[in-house]
Amino acid sequence: QSVLTQPPSVSAAPGQKVTISCSGSSSNIGNNYVSWYQQLPGTAPKLLIYDNNKRPSGIPDRFSGSKSGTSATLGITGLQTGDEADYYCGTWDSSLSENVFGTGTKVTVL
Amino acid sequence: QVQLQESGPGLVKPSQTLSLTCTVSGGSISSGSYYWSWIRQPAGKGLEWIGRIYTSGSTNYNPSLKSRVTISVDTSKNQFSLKLSSVTAADTAVYYCAREAITMVRGVIAAYYFDYWGQGTLVTVSS
């Protein structure tokens, strides 16, 4: 049972924008930075965003992250068919003393 | 470019011990302020963090698995390993190893995140 809640799925047409929410609590998102991961079908997760809003080298600026209070959001603009994947948020939970991940969101490009 | 590769048996019998090794290439496992983690994912489900080790040997484990997990490191081989005892069918999953980076803010760790992942290895628990 994940402590971080994400919508099961989001979808949009190519070129459009989607946002994925990640809801937590004061023991996780509220007091720690958030990261986001993209998992293409049949592959390992890949780091998209770290420290709430930073992109690793090679990640296009179509991907953005933000955090407010106990929630975080991943945004994807200029949606492409290659963006179809599962997306997970992650952070440290200070009460549980463990890394926690969100429930995951499947992005579909219509 | 850091690369990680998991290895180990793909089939483990119930009640036995699952053993996996992660080999790190493209950099020393001892360099930098990184942890080395294991994460698993049952088919069609989400990610579950199993635990981590620092090159000093210090470990942290998921409380729900702590009684069954041991993570160790062999810096001479640039490897770290996972042992999960008393496995059941519920432990069937793809197991990933990953490098875990940290962000310090005013001397306190504010973030842990996984910047490099192995490709994953499927471990099935079945008789």
Side-chain angles (χ1 to χ4, degrees):
Chain A
Q1 194 79 1
S2 177
V3 299
L4 303 181
T5 302
Q6 300 178 230
S9 64
V10 297
S11 61
Q16 297 300 303
K17 175 181 179 178
V18 295
T19 59
I20 300 170
S21 60
C22 176
S23 179
S25 68
S26 58
S27 65
N28 41 67
I29 293 177
N31 281 287
N32 295 290
Y33 291 175
V34 177
S35 52
W36 289 90
Y37 304 88
Q38 176 193 58
Q39 187 174 32
L40 297 169
T43 70
K46 173 184 175 182
L47 179 66
L48 275 184
I49 298 289
Y50 67 100
D51 291 358
N52 299 331
N53 54 20
K54 296 178 182 175
R55 285 176 286 106
S57 174
I59 301 299
D61 59 6
R62 299 188 300 106
F63 296 91
S64 64
S66 64
K67 189 184 97 166
S68 178
T70 59
S71 293
T73 301
L74 174 71
I76 310 174
T77 59
L79 204 59
Q80 302 175 359
T81 55
D83 297 331
E84 287 202 328
D86 293 323
Y87 293 81
Y88 294 91
C89 57
T91 189
W92 179 257
D93 191 296
S94 304
S95 293
L96 299 175
S97 294
E98 63 177 278
N99 278 302
V100 292
F101 293 98
T103 48
T105 299
K106 182 176 181 60
V107 170
T108 300
V109 182
L110 300 173
Chain B
Q1 178 82 347
V2 173
Q3 293 184 311
L4 296 91
Q5 178 68 57
E6 305 88 352
S7 60
L11 181 64
V12 182
K13 288 182 167 50
S15 80
Q16 294 191 344
T17 297
L18 178 161
S19 296
L20 295 174
T21 295
C22 182
T23 301
V24 179
S25 59
S28 170
I29 200 171
S30 300
S31 66
S33 298
Y34 299 108
Y35 292 85
W36 302 90
S37 273
W38 289 96
I39 296 158
R40 69 180 183 179
Q41 185 175 36
K45 297 189 177 181
L47 302 166
E48 179 180 36
W49 179 72
I50 299 170
R52 65 158 77 106
I53 191 165
Y54 196 64
T55 49
S56 65
S58 171
T59 54
N60 300 105
Y61 299 133
N62 184 322
S64 69
L65 298 170
K66 187 174 183 177
S67 63
R68 300 194 291 131
V69 174
T70 302
I71 297 176
S72 58
V73 65
D74 187 336
T75 55
S76 67
K77 294 182 179 179
N78 233 32
Q79 295 176 334
F80 63 107
S81 299
L82 167 70
K83 290 189 186 297
L84 181 65
S85 64
S86 305
V87 297
T88 68
D91 295 309
T92 295
V94 174
Y95 285 75
Y96 297 101
C97 58
R99 190 178 82 168
E100 187 174 359
I102 62 173
T103 298
M104 300 291 290
V105 176
R106 292 186 291 277
V108 177
I109 297 177
Y112 299 90
Y113 55 93
F114 306 98
D115 58 354
Y116 290 96
W117 296 66
Q119 65 183 28
T121 187
L122 174 62
V123 178
T124 301
V125 178
S126 175
S127 55

